[in-house]
């Protein structure tokens, strides 16, 4: 079969270029490995920071132990950053842990990473960086949060968490606490949204898992960074008998 001049010309060029092209792809993959490893280190560091935040909250006598014991899940968001005055947004991430068992009566699960964002996050209590703890108080809101992006005030009712006595607790799906410096206090997170951080969960567990897979499946074990967090919850926040 006759071949055109252009076909004859392209063949040697292709033979020369293809090896270089494949080598470039391999090199790109190799160079990306340290980046992925670095991201995983940040994930583990976030889990360790969350452990510190939760420990401080448990030690804070301004938060009702009764409310903590009644929560089905806890979402801990350390160091949520404010983007700046005039930009008006904030963002951060942290782990969600839930009680295991069909009726949420068991030990605490491995942590699933979540991200948070929204115009009002972190703006009420001042400062450029704030820690937040969200208590998920019923199974309806747990199911909502596990399914995907959840907006406070729209997809779930949220209220500033009450103080040392639980008597003032509203019938909210989520109770929210925050601090910039010093003690925790109830804060409003109206307009904020939380959603699973699937990329972080993949880095931590080395396989594709949904947030529901992680917190509702007892076969998923916490990573090195998550183990102290689970142990703290198991030892300090036992299930309150209704």
């Amino acid at each position: 079969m006759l071949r055109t001049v252009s076909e004859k010309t392209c063949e040697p060029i292709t033979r020369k270029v293809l090896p270089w092209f494949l080598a470039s792809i391999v090199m790109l993959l190799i160079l990306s490995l340290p980046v992925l490893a670095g991201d995983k280190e940040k994930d583990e560091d976030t889990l360790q920071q969350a452990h510190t935040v939760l420990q401080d909250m448990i030690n804070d006598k301004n938060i009702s132990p009764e409310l903590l014991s009644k929560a089905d899940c806890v979402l801990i968001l350390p160091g949520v950053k404010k983007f700046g005055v005039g930009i008006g947004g904030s963002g951060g991430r942290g782990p969600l842990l839930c009680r295991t068992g069909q009726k949420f009566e068991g030990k605490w699960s491995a942590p699933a990473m979540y991200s948070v964002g929204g115009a009002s996050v972190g703006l009420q209590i001042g400062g450029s960086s704030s820690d937040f703890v969200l208590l998920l108080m019923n199974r309806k809101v747990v199911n909502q949060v596990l399914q995907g992006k959840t907006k406070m005030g729209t997809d779930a009712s949220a209220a500033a968490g009450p103080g040392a006595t639980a008597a003032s607790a509203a019938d909210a799906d989520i109770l929210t606490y925050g601090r910039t410096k010093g003690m925790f206090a109830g804060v409003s997170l109206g307009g904020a949204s939380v959603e699973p951080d699937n990329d972080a969960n993949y880095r931590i567990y080395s396989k594709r898992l949904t947030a529901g897979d992680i917190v509702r499946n007892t076969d998923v074990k916490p990573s090195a960074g998550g183990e102290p967090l689970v142990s703290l919850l198991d030892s300090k926040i036992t299930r309150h008998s209704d």
Side-chain angles (χ1 to χ4, degrees), residues 52-134:
T52 300
V53 170
L54 184 63
Q55 180 70 75
D56 291 346
M57 184 180 186
I58 291 172
N59 294 337
D60 193 326
K61 307 219 187 290
N62 289 313
I63 307 302
S64 166
E66 183 180 354
L67 284 177
L68 287 171
S69 70
K70 285 185 174 181
D72 287 336
C73 299
V74 177
L75 177 58
I76 309 148
L77 302 165
V80 175
K81 303 295 184 184
K82 186 193 297 183
F83 294 152
V85 177
I87 300 176
S90 298
R93 60 184 186 143
L96 173 79
L97 299 92
C98 296
R99 298 179 190 275
T100 57
Q102 186 176 1
K103 296 182 179 180
F104 293 85
E105 77 285 2
K107 290 183 176 293
W108 289 88
S109 69
M113 293 294 284
Y114 270 70
S115 62
V116 61
S120 61
V121 177
L123 302 181
Q124 294 87 353
I125 56 177
S128 59
S129 178
S130 306
D131 301 320
F132 294 95
V133 177
L134 282 62

